[in-house]
Amino acid sequence: MIARYTRPAMGKIWSDENKYRSWLTVEAAASQALAKFGLVPQDAADTIRDKGNFTVARIDEIEAEVRHDVIAFTTTVAEHINNPEHSRWLHYGLTSTDVVDTAQALQLKEASAIIHTGIVGLLDVLKRRAVEFKHTPIIGRTHGVHAEPSTFGLKLLLWYAEVQRNLVRFDTAAEDLRVGKLSGAVGTFGHLKPEHEEAICAGLGLKPVAIATQVVQRDLHAAYVATLAVLASTLDKIATEVRHLQRTEVREAEEFFSEKQKGSSAMPHKRNPIVSEQISGLARVVRANAQTAFENVALWHERDISHSSAERVILPDSTILIDYLLAKTTNLIDKLLVYPARMLKNLESTGGLIFSGQLLLDLAESGMSREDAYRLVQGHAMNSWKNDLVFRDEVAKVPEITARLSPEKLARAFDYNRQLANVDAIFARVLGA
């Protein structure tokens, strides 16, 4: 992932330095645990812990020759230990993936903590702004066409509820991946025992995976990346709505536009939704990465490495992007410019056509058959639309309607507050009393 989209804390997790540091953490934890079982001399375990070290440059130099990153790593660590009697106990009883998969769990645990914090931060902003615009009327649109009144607060509340679901899904997927694996070349504990694995994992703050081959099974990783893809889709959904609301013809809300910001090299008037478009674009990358994660589930027999190269791309990139997208979306909503007057103007722009459904119900309640009421209301609605008439005024001239609905009842049919009477109840459902 290019630096443009990488925030420092998340980028550090996926650096080569931190990857190898995580490998060394696993090696040291394994030596200490095995020393307690009497399998590794305690002084050797202590030396591995205290003197084990590396440089990325030296690992790269050795890997260029041996073409095996874990061997290059253990060779480098042994050089730093500089004591053959102690370094021979490094990596005792382990296979490469015991270290790589377990260390990757440590990296994902770090990354997940940052993402969790980002989701919670977005929830806080969505909740605050939903309450702020709880009763701000806006036209609801279906198929992009004016439907019935809603509130801008309900739009934000809907996003809040969806992000809440994303948080639950994400925490579950992250917890499922908080597992270590030290069961050997085909997962049979050919050289160590399950209790050894349990002790090593406990020292690392991980759970031992119940069963593995040479690798932790990749359905867990697929579920994790898929959850990130769903989260990215929610952020895309929010951004897409902002893009629609910012259209010149709508102009109900727009991204914050700083004093020195420029919208176009050719057109000085432009204020483009560039942040929202960036969110939508990068969300596509995360969704695409989920497909690769699905492909990684099927491996040959007890293991091949077709998943490995792909994961070196999709795991850092997906977590880095989600971290970036959460920050962008949180800032987008926090600073979103909202125009209630324009919302109300748009709501009233059709001359009351949006209340056709309420008028239909009121006529049916008055005793008119639904079929007759529908034909009557639709006929005048289509005529008002076609001839750019004020629907509210037109129906007030229709004897079949005025004979059944008094001026007060007719006015009530066109009162948006009537249709928004349950907004508080919806908020209570989502946020609690």
Side-chain angles (χ1 to χ4, degrees), residues 134-155:
K134 184 178 185 179
H135 293 295
T136 301
I138 188 173
I139 184 61
R141 298 172 173 92
T142 58
H143 307 277
V145 177
H146 286 204
E148 291 187 335
S150 182
T151 77
F152 190 58
L154 286 176
K155 195 182 293 286

Side-chain angles (χ1 to χ4, degrees), residues 21-34 36-37 49 102-103 105-106 109 178-182 194-208:
R21 190 64 57 191
S22 298
W23 289 10
L24 186 56
T25 297
V26 173
E27 293 282 8
S31 297
Q32 287 295 320
L34 295 179
K36 289 180 172 59
F37 284 96
R49 180 195 62 202
T102 304
L106 295 178
K109 182 181 174 184
R178 192 176 60 83
V179 292
K181 178 266 168 193
L182 300 107
E195 53 264 38
H196 301 150
E197 179 186 65
E198 292 167 8
I200 296 168
C201 286
L204 294 167
L206 303 175
K207 303 170 296 183

Side-chain angles (χ1 to χ4, degrees), residues 186-257:
V186 292
T188 59
F189 292 99
H191 306 288
L192 300 180
K193 295 180 179 179
E195 53 264 38
H196 301 150
E197 179 186 65
E198 292 167 8
I200 296 168
C201 286
L204 294 167
L206 303 175
K207 303 170 296 183
V209 69
I211 183 172
T213 56
Q214 190 177 112
V215 297
V216 173
Q217 299 306 285
R218 260 45 196 179
D219 64 295
L220 296 170
H221 302 72
Y224 183 85
V225 180
T227 301
L228 295 182
V230 174
L231 174 56
S233 297
T234 296
L235 304 183
D236 183 10
K237 171 182 182 174
I238 293 171
T240 298
E241 183 67 14
V242 171
R243 291 163 63 192
H244 279 305
L245 296 176
Q246 187 162 337
R247 285 183 300 132
T248 305
E249 296 82 359
V250 179
R251 209 155 40 108
E252 294 175 352
E254 67 174 339
E255 294 181 5
F256 175 78
F257 196 86

Side-chain angles (χ1 to χ4, degrees), residues 96-111:
S96 297
T97 309
D98 287 336
V99 176
V100 172
D101 269 9
T102 304
Q104 183 173 266
L106 295 178
Q107 289 177 279
L108 286 168
K109 182 181 174 184
E110 287 184 84

Side-chain angles (χ1 to χ4, degrees), residues 324-336:
Y324 181 82
L325 291 173
L326 283 167
K328 282 289 181 180
T329 307
T330 300
N331 190 61
L332 170 69
I333 300 301
D334 185 43
K335 294 183 177 180
L336 189 69

Side-chain angles (χ1 to χ4, degrees), residues 123-138 151-157 160 252-253 330-340 343 423-424 427 431:
L123 282 169
D124 289 343
V125 170
L126 285 169
K127 180 179 179 180
R128 174 171 55 80
R129 302 227 73 182
V131 172
E132 179 183 355
F133 298 105
K134 184 178 185 179
H135 293 295
T136 301
I138 188 173
T151 77
F152 190 58
L154 286 176
K155 195 182 293 286
L156 291 157
L157 186 69
Y160 173 87
E252 294 175 352
T330 300
N331 190 61
L332 170 69
I333 300 301
D334 185 43
K335 294 183 177 180
L336 189 69
L337 303 176
V338 180
Y339 305 121
M343 292 176 178
V423 169
D424 286 336
F427 266 77
L431 302 180

